[in-house]
């Protein structure tokens, strides 16, 4: 049994109560962002005899999108509603359109106030019950060239045809460039983003509606990183092979993936979108195909579907209007003795009007007994993209049908190209014996639902619906198959009354249950479900101390500085005057940084990812404090790290940086100078190959396995490094590549890995085999083991290989300040025979003097370990904190060192 509207509202209340108890801020407001406001704006200007002028705005209803607007307004029972949209063209009493530039700031301020609060004379702010919340409007101001270039240009000429399986040249009357209007589309979406940022309050829910604003979710994410954003696409979404034709396909997909949740009309469109992200952009799916990760932001977007309904209660009231009965009787008398087939569509090529008329002609040809006994009344309402060619084709086809099958006293096909008044429309739906609604593609067709309600008190007639639109129906047909459509019409006209009643009852239950009110409330529930308060088993308030953070908490600057300062409590080693050199202080703070995506932004050409001056300066200053031991733990090779970072921190004889290259395959210790007199002569430490003492004979065996799968997977290749071997399948078909990866992984794990000291890792479009002791996590364990006096650890990374570091630093799961650490594999396997590499045997840290690599006693509070993921708060990671960019990692270091205050260091994020 389907849940009722009351059930959904109760679920929303429970979710909100749970979030508030967990410290999540909720404002009680929902921002709905639409292409245009549901009102028209007219400026009345009255001039008096003294030449002074006064203005008065008049609002009127804007027709269209009735289902969406009714659903939005229904939420006022539980939430305050704000509808954000373009004003549309500003009309004036002088009969001319007003440009935005012609309006004064006073004019705009007056209109903004009336739109948001309402006016005693306006008739567009619907009256609600006293316990309902207010619904206000917020205007987005755009110049006419931008507004029309974006809507009439890119939206209607490029995206609308594409989403309905047509390319722009298929509908253009002249040469059409797919990019000519894209700058306007960008500018319009940016204008919406800025307006939302102006009115946003922490805890607002934001719903972006339809294909006009596909760039907007990511633009909002950039301005408001913690905003909860949903995107509902009312149109169909095409298959990946169609969408890949769009030149700006990546920009559009990345814009959409800024949302926390993307919803479509049905499951097919959801599947097409996920497939497009995987096949066209190479992104990875999560949540069993119900989520997509954008690698540039590491943000996972949930993908689902929720069909729009109609306001069934309003339609049920409308069909009882007193003006309908006379028109119903007139139509019944006019076509007495004949079956009436009705169709109402926009005059748009995707609505399939031509195919429907040809199918009607086919029915008269296949079943001649219907000639003189059935009429088709086809109404085509004007479209914003009216095509004179299509209108001419429809008129010619209607004339052909009437000339072939009509007579002096019988016209089988009636075509009316006009917008019907409400009474005429419902009278037509009520009197019909059959509705035929067969678009070639459609997101959701509301006429089919209105037909069901209109028929409740009359004939309970059936309908023939296209299987290519997002609505459940009675008789489904392929609109391109004229024979099948004609047969379905014939069958429906002869359908027994009992079958009609059964079908109608089912459809009526669906239409009156899955309403626009239900749709809007389900969307709200789904978006609230994306606001997970759980962070590593703790709620957000406990994790961050700041209510309202969602997902991984943002790096707590005050807490970071507190533990950094606390780690300087050990007194420096004394300087003895007669000693020629003073030994360095033992480090009590460990810093581990990944490079790409952490200290430097990820770029298309890896060699171009050089460290910024700001990053180099921050690292230099970090190395000046001898209690700081700083390591760069990267997948880069040794030559790159030496070239760009080798001299950092060594200018005054400092120890400089330590390095780990190729994901732990090679390690270079900081410089060994031990006193001021020797620091000018401190020599660089050599690179150590951690694989030199390991059995690497497995590589040839693994290589043969990878070669087998490479030969059978077009687009794949093998990458052999000194310490690992990787099979890449990014260039292969995504589904076939993933299937082959699973087969290869299974083969390696069952036949090779259990016999050798290796591990098999599944990465992003790759499968890697490496020694167990060679990874970033083992390097971190090694360094902690070698420095048991550590009191503070800061570790930052951005990708899957950095999760090994985060995992290694979660070893103290008990939460105790003091714990015992066994020697890791990176010590026992690599240092075997290297006496100088063993940790100092002092009674304070060593729990036993007998073993060669004894367990070490570590005094380190769990709160003093800061693992930081670079990316969005929704990123799937083992890290305890997050920042959003490499610049913020550098900013955190600068803040710790007092190079900037914390507010300045993180001002970029707040902006």
């Amino acid at each position: 049994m389907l849940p009722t509207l009351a059930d959904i509202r109760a679920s929303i209340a429970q979710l909100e109560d749970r979030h508030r108890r967990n410290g999540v801020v909720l404002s009680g407001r929902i921002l709905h962002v639409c292409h245009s406001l549901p009102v028209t704006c007219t400026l009345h200007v009255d001039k008096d005899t003294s030449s002074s002028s006064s203005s008065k705005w008049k609002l009127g209803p804007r027709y269209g999108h009735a289902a969406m607007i009714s659903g939005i307004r229904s939420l006022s029972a539980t939430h305050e509603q704000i509808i954000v949209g373009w004003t549309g063209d500003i009309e004036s009493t002088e009969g001319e359109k007003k440009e935005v530039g012609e309006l004064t700031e006073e004019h705009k301020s007056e209109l903004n106030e009336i739109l948001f609060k309402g006016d005693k004379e306006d008739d567009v702010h619907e009256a609600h019950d006293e316990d309902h919340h207010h619904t206000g409007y917020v205007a987005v101001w755009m110049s006419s060239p931008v507004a029309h270039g974006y809507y009439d240009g890119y939206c209607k000429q490029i995206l609308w045809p594409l989403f309905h399986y047509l390319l722009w040249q298929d509908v253009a009357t002249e040469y059409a460039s797919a990019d000519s209007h894209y700058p306007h589309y960008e500018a319009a979406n940016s204008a919406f983003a800025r307006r939302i940022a102006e009115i946003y309050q922490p805890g607002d829910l934001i719903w972006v509606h339809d294909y006009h604003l596909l760039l907007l979710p990511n633009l909002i994410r950039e301005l408001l990183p913690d905003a909860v954003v949903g995107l509902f696409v009312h149109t169909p979404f095409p298959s990946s092979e169609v969408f890949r034709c769009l030149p700006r396909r990546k920009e559009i997909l990345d814009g959409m993936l800024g949302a926390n949740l993307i919803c479509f009309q049905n499951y097919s469109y959801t599947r097409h979108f996920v497939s497009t992200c995987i096949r066209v952009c190479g992104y990875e799916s999560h949540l069993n195909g119900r989520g997509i990760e954008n690698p540039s932001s590491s943000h996972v977007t949930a993908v689902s579907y929720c069909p729009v309904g109609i306001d069934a209660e309003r339609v049920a009231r409308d069909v009882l209007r007193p003006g309908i009965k006379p028109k119903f009787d007139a139509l019944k008398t006019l076509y007495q003795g004949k079956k009436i087939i009705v169709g109402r569509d926009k005059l748009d090529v995707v609505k399939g009007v031509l195919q429907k008329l040809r199918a009607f002609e086919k029915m008269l040809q296949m079943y001649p007994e219907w000639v003189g006994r059935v009429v088709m009344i086809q109404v085509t309402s004007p479209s914003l993209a009216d095509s004179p060619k299509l209108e001419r084709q429809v008129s010619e086809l209607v004339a052909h049908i009437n000339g072939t099958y009509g007579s002096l006293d019988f016209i089988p096909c009636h075509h009316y190209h006009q917008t019907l008044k409400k009474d005429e429309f419902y009278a037509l739906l009520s009197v019909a014996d059959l509705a035929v609604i067969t678009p070639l593609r459609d997101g959701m067709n509301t006429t089919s639902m209105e037909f069901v309600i209109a028929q409740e008190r009359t004939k309970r007639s059936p309908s023939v619906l296209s299987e290519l639109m997002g609505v459940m129906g009675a008789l489904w047909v392929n609109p391109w198959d004229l024979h099948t459509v004609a047969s379905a019409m014939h069958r429906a006209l002869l359908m027994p009354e009992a079958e009609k009643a059964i079908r109608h009852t089912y459809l009526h239950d669906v239409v009156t249950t899955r309403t626009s009110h239900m749709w809007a409330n389900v969307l709200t529930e789904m978006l609230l479900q994306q606001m997970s308060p759980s962070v590593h088993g703790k709620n957000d308030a406990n994790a961050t101390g700041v209510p309202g953070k969602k997902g991984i908490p943002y790096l707590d600057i005050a807490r970071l500085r507190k533990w950094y300062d606390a780690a300087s409590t050990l007194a420096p080693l004394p300087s003895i005057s007669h000693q020629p050199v003073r030994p360095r202080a033992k480090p009590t703070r460990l810093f581990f940084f990944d490079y790409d995506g952490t200290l430097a932004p990820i770029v298309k050409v890896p060699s171009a990812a050089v460290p910024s001056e700001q990053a180099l300066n921050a690292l230099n200053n970090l190395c000046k404090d001898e209690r700081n031991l700083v390591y760069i733990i990267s997948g880069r090779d040794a030559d790159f790290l030496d070239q760009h970072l080798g001299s950092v921190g060594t200018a005054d004889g400092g120890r400089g940086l330590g390095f780990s290259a190729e994901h732990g395959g090679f390690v270079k210790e900081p410089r060994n100078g031990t006193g001021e007199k020797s620091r000018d002569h401190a020599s660089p430490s050599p690179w150590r190959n951690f694989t030199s003492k390991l059995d690497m004979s497995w590589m040839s065996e693994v290589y043969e396995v990878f070669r087998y799968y490479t030969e059978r997977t077009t687009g794949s290749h093998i990458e052999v490094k000194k310490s690992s071997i990787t099979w890449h399948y990014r260039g292969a078909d995504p589904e076939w590549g993933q299937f082959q990866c699973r087969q290869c992984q299974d083969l390696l794990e069952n036949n090779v890995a259990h016999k050798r000291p290796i591990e098999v890792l599944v990465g992003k479009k790759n499968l890697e085999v490496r020694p167990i002791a060679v990874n970033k996590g083992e390097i971190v364990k090694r360094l902690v083991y070698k420095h048991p006096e550590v009191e503070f650890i800061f570790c930052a990374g951005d990708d899957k290989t950095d999760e090994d570091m985060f995992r290694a630093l979660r070893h103290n799961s008990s939460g105790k300040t003091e714990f015992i650490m066994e020697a890791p594999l990176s010590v026992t396997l690599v240092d075997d025979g290297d006496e100088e590499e063993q940790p100092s045997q002092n009674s304070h840290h060593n729990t036993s003097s007998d073993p060669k690599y004894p367990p070490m006693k570590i005094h380190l509070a769990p709160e003093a370990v800061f693992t930081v993921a670079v990316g969005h708060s929704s990123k799937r990671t083992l890290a305890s904190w997050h920042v959003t960019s490499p610049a913020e990692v550098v900013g955190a270091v600068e803040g710790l060192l007092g190079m900037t205050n914390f507010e300045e260091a993180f001002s970029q994020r707040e902006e």
Side-chain angles (χ1 to χ4, degrees):
M1 183 177 178
L2 291 174
T4 64
L5 182 58
D7 294 335
I8 299 299
R9 285 177 172 168
S11 176
I12 291 173
Q14 291 175 359
L15 279 169
E16 292 180 328
D17 180 62
R18 185 188 311 158
H19 285 321
R20 290 190 175 100
R21 281 189 278 107
N22 286 322
V24 178
V25 172
L26 291 174
S27 66
R29 304 196 318 172
I30 303 178
L31 276 56
H32 297 274
V33 192
C34 312
H35 155 63
S36 59
L37 294 173
V39 297
T40 59
C41 306
T42 304
L43 180 63
H44 292 255
V45 179
D46 299 321
K47 295 184 178 180
D48 58 25
T49 55
S50 62
S51 298
S52 63
S53 63
S54 61
S55 61
K56 176 66 176 177
W57 288 99
K58 178 66 176 177
L59 304 184
R62 187 190 305 276
Y63 298 104
H65 307 292
M68 178 183 73
I69 298 301
S70 70
I72 290 173
R73 285 175 173 157
S74 72
L75 291 171
S76 62
T78 53
H79 295 79
E80 181 182 350
Q81 305 297 301
I82 298 177
I83 301 177
V84 183
W86 176 45
T87 59
D89 290 321
I90 302 294
E91 304 289 343
S92 73
T93 52
E94 300 168 353
E96 297 179 353
K97 293 180 180 178
K98 287 283 187 181
E99 265 289 344
V100 172
E102 299 178 61
L103 300 176
T104 66
E105 289 302 318
E106 184 180 359
H107 285 152
K108 293 181 181 179
S109 179
E110 288 176 2
L111 181 58
N112 285 336
E113 184 175 356
I114 294 172
L115 285 171
F116 192 78
K117 295 183 178 179
D119 184 81
K120 63 182 180 180
E121 295 183 12
D122 88 59
D123 57 354
V124 296
H125 287 79
E126 290 192 355
H128 297 298
D129 297 336
E130 290 184 1
D131 58 341
H132 280 207
H133 298 268
H134 176 66
T135 299
Y137 305 137
V138 171
V140 176
W141 299 96
M142 293 187 288
S143 66
S144 183
V146 170
H148 289 283
Y150 131 81
Y151 182 71
D152 301 327
Y154 201 75
C155 290
K156 285 302 178 183
Q157 295 180 25
I158 307 300
L159 294 181
W160 173 265
L162 182 79
F163 283 14
H164 292 82
Y165 286 75
L166 297 170
L167 297 184
W168 37 96
Q169 71 266 20
D170 297 332
V171 297
T173 55
E174 54 188 34
Y175 171 75
S177 168
D179 271 350
S180 59
H181 295 291
Y182 184 76
H184 293 142
Y185 189 77
E186 265 189 320
N189 277 256
S190 296
F192 274 88
R194 291 191 298 270
R195 192 70 173 108
I196 291 167
E198 291 172 3
I199 65 171
Y200 176 80
Q201 296 178 7
D204 285 349
L205 301 180
I206 303 175
W207 265 110
V208 178
H209 290 273
D210 225 358
Y211 67 101
H212 315 92
L213 301 169
L214 297 181
L215 299 179
L216 184 56
N218 196 49
L219 294 174
I220 295 174
R221 181 71 56 215
E222 292 174 356
L223 295 174
L224 305 167
D226 291 324
V228 181
V229 183
L231 170 65
F232 190 88
V233 182
H234 293 257
T235 64
F237 196 89
S239 71
S240 59
E241 295 308 305
V242 174
F243 191 87
R244 71 166 63 246
C245 298
L246 184 66
R248 298 287 182 169
R249 61 197 186 188
K250 188 176 187 302
E251 290 89 337
I252 296 294
L253 290 177
D254 286 349
M256 298 174 70
L257 291 174
N260 298 80
L261 171 67
I262 302 176
C263 269
F264 297 89
Q265 295 278 14
N266 62 33
Y267 174 73
S268 293
Y269 304 153
T270 299
R271 180 169 51 85
H272 290 167
F273 174 76
V274 171
S275 175
T276 298
C277 291
I278 295 172
R279 291 179 173 273
V280 176
C281 289
Y283 296 163
E284 291 194 356
S285 64
H286 294 273
L287 308 173
N288 295 321
R290 291 178 287 112
I292 290 291
E293 178 183 355
N294 185 340
S296 63
S297 63
S298 299
H299 167 69
V300 178
T301 299
V303 185
S304 190
Y305 69 97
C306 180
V308 177
I310 61 172
D311 187 347
E313 292 182 1
R314 178 188 60 79
V315 174
R317 291 194 303 268
D318 286 345
V319 297
L320 299 177
R321 290 159 60 102
I324 295 176
K325 185 65 165 60
K327 293 178 174 58
F328 175 87
D329 293 337
L331 287 170
K332 193 173 181 181
T333 301
L334 181 62
Y335 298 109
Q336 188 173 10
K338 298 179 178 64
K339 296 284 188 179
I340 302 173
I341 302 176
V342 300
R344 200 281 295 263
D345 309 271
K346 285 185 178 179
L347 189 62
D348 191 307
V349 64
V350 302
K351 297 302 182 180
V353 177
L354 277 175
Q355 287 76 10
K356 183 196 302 186
L357 293 174
R358 288 174 183 146
F360 177 65
E361 180 186 13
K362 188 72 173 177
M363 186 191 76
L364 297 178
Q365 178 186 347
M366 292 170 57
Y367 307 101
E369 63 269 25
W370 286 114
V371 176
R373 296 177 52 215
V374 66
V375 294
M376 167 167 272
I377 303 175
Q378 175 64 50
V379 179
T380 54
S381 55
S383 168
L384 291 175
D386 260 359
S387 168
K389 178 182 177 182
L390 179 60
E391 187 175 356
R392 185 180 67 253
Q393 289 176 323
V394 170
S395 298
E396 290 174 354
L397 182 53
V398 170
H400 167 72
I401 294 172
N402 290 336
T404 304
Y405 299 97
S407 61
L408 291 177
D409 60 348
F410 172 65
I411 300 176
C413 190
H414 301 261
H415 174 227
Y416 302 97
H417 184 52
Q418 64 187 72
T419 300
L420 292 181
K421 295 179 180 179
K422 188 173 288 188
D423 289 351
E424 294 174 323
F425 174 61
Y426 286 122
L428 185 62
L429 293 186
S430 300
V431 79
D433 295 285
L434 173 64
V436 180
I437 304 165
T438 52
L440 307 182
R441 288 283 171 181
D442 212 347
M444 182 62 63
N445 190 291
T446 58
T447 302
S448 61
M449 304 179 193
E450 292 169 315
F451 175 76
V452 172
I453 294 180
Q455 285 286 319
E456 174 69 10
R457 293 176 177 271
T458 56
K459 304 178 180 181
R460 300 196 169 191
S461 299
S463 53
V464 173
L465 305 179
S466 170
E467 64 186 26
L468 302 178
M469 67 182 191
V471 66
M472 297 185 66
L475 298 174
W476 274 14
V477 295
N478 177 356
W480 295 98
D481 186 349
L482 303 185
H483 185 280
T484 301
V485 178
S487 298
M489 290 182 186
H490 173 70
R491 177 189 169 192
L493 291 173
L494 296 178
M495 187 176 291
E497 292 298 325
E499 185 179 351
K500 283 185 186 180
I502 293 173
R503 290 179 177 273
H504 176 83
T505 300
Y506 168 74
L507 285 174
H508 189 267
D509 288 343
V510 171
V511 170
T512 55
T513 302
R514 299 176 183 176
T515 64
S516 60
H517 295 191
M518 176 71 80
W519 164 77
N521 281 270
V522 169
L523 289 187
T524 303
E525 180 188 33
M526 293 170 71
L527 195 55
L528 285 168
Q529 288 170 345
Q530 299 303 312
M531 300 173 64
S532 172
S534 179
V535 181
H536 302 311
K538 300 178 289 184
N539 65 51
D540 287 31
N542 291 337
T544 67
V546 181
K549 298 295 184 185
K550 296 165 283 294
I552 315 166
Y554 193 81
L555 181 61
D556 188 326
I557 304 304
R559 185 180 298 188
L560 181 70
R561 182 60 183 265
K562 169 190 171 183
W563 287 99
Y564 177 85
D565 292 339
S568 61
T569 54
L570 292 178
L573 296 177
S575 175
I576 303 175
S577 58
H578 65 271
Q579 286 186 338
V581 297
R582 177 175 60 83
R584 295 190 190 276
K586 290 185 178 181
T588 58
R589 309 185 191 105
L590 298 182
F591 289 83
F592 306 127
F593 297 99
D594 175 41
Y595 182 72
D596 292 287
T598 302
L599 290 176
I602 294 176
V603 295
K604 291 183 179 179
V605 181
S607 59
V610 298
S612 66
E613 287 298 324
Q614 185 183 12
L616 292 174
N617 191 34
L619 291 174
N620 263 310
N621 283 278
L622 193 63
C623 292
K624 287 180 180 179
D625 190 332
E626 291 189 356
R627 298 200 174 277
N628 297 338
L629 183 64
V630 187
Y631 265 78
I632 308 299
I633 303 179
S634 172
R636 294 280 188 164
D637 59 32
D639 291 339
F640 180 93
L641 296 177
D642 272 337
Q643 177 186 353
H644 295 287
L645 297 167
S647 62
V648 171
T650 63
D652 299 321
R655 64 161 62 96
L657 298 173
F659 298 102
S660 171
E662 295 189 22
H663 300 298
F666 296 83
V667 171
K668 182 179 181 181
E669 305 287 344
R671 300 195 176 202
N672 296 321
T674 57
E676 291 183 4
K677 293 183 180 180
S678 66
R679 287 178 187 176
D680 291 339
H681 307 286
S683 59
S685 300
W687 283 96
R688 295 190 63 201
N689 183 352
F690 271 29
T691 64
S692 61
K693 295 183 179 180
L694 301 178
D695 177 11
M696 302 298 287
S697 61
W698 54 266
M699 291 190 74
S700 59
E701 188 175 356
V702 172
Y703 181 86
E704 288 302 314
V705 174
F706 280 169
R707 188 169 67 86
Y708 174 86
Y709 281 93
T710 301
E711 292 171 352
R712 288 156 178 79
T713 311
T714 304
S716 64
H717 67 277
I718 304 172
E719 179 187 13
V720 179
K721 295 182 180 180
K722 294 179 181 178
S723 60
S724 66
I725 181 169
T726 306
W727 182 65
H728 297 271
Y729 62 93
R730 184 170 295 278
D733 176 86
E735 293 183 5
W736 176 243
Q738 188 177 42
F739 173 79
Q740 291 289 76
C741 176
R742 290 171 179 166
Q743 296 293 310
C744 184
Q745 178 188 5
D746 183 66
L747 178 62
L748 290 170
E749 290 177 344
N750 291 324
N751 295 280
V752 180
H754 72 283
K755 298 183 294 184
R756 305 284 193 136
I758 59 175
E759 57 184 344
V760 182
L761 301 175
V762 179
K764 293 183 178 180
K765 305 291 183 182
N766 65 65
L767 191 64
E768 181 183 11
V769 180
R770 66 188 185 189
I772 291 176
V774 177
N775 61 66
K776 291 185 176 183
E778 285 296 324
I779 297 300
V780 167
K781 290 179 184 178
R782 173 188 176 87
L783 293 172
V784 174
Y785 179 81
K786 296 281 187 180
H787 300 88
E789 64 278 354
V790 64
E791 296 180 355
F792 170 90
I793 296 177
F794 182 90
C795 178
D798 73 301
D799 68 12
K800 285 188 176 180
T801 60
D802 300 315
E803 294 298 311
D804 290 329
M805 294 195 293
F806 302 151
R807 186 179 294 105
L809 293 173
R810 289 165 62 90
H811 53 269
N812 185 15
S813 58
S814 65
K816 297 179 179 179
T817 301
E818 182 177 298
F819 62 96
I820 303 299
M821 183 178 184
E822 299 289 341
L825 290 173
S826 53
V827 172
T828 57
L829 293 180
V830 175
D831 290 353
D832 188 23
D834 294 350
E835 297 297 331
E836 70 278 6
E837 290 295 335
Q838 298 180 32
S840 58
Q841 306 290 318
N842 64 75
S843 59
H844 180 68
H845 294 293
N846 192 345
T847 60
S848 172
S849 58
D850 294 334
K852 189 173 184 180
Y853 301 107
M856 303 301 293
K857 184 183 294 184
I858 310 291
H859 295 271
L860 178 64
E863 296 83 3
V865 178
F866 290 81
T867 51
V868 183
V870 182
H872 190 262
S873 61
S874 64
K875 184 173 185 174
R876 300 173 66 186
T877 178
L878 294 173
S880 300
W881 307 92
H882 91 103
V883 294
T884 60
S885 67
E888 293 177 11
V889 176
V890 176
V893 175
E894 291 177 332
L896 283 178
L897 301 176
M899 299 170 65
T900 62
N901 61 46
F902 291 118
E903 288 75 15
E904 291 177 357
F906 289 85
S907 61
Q908 177 182 356
R909 175 179 183 268
E910 296 303 323
E911 292 171 1

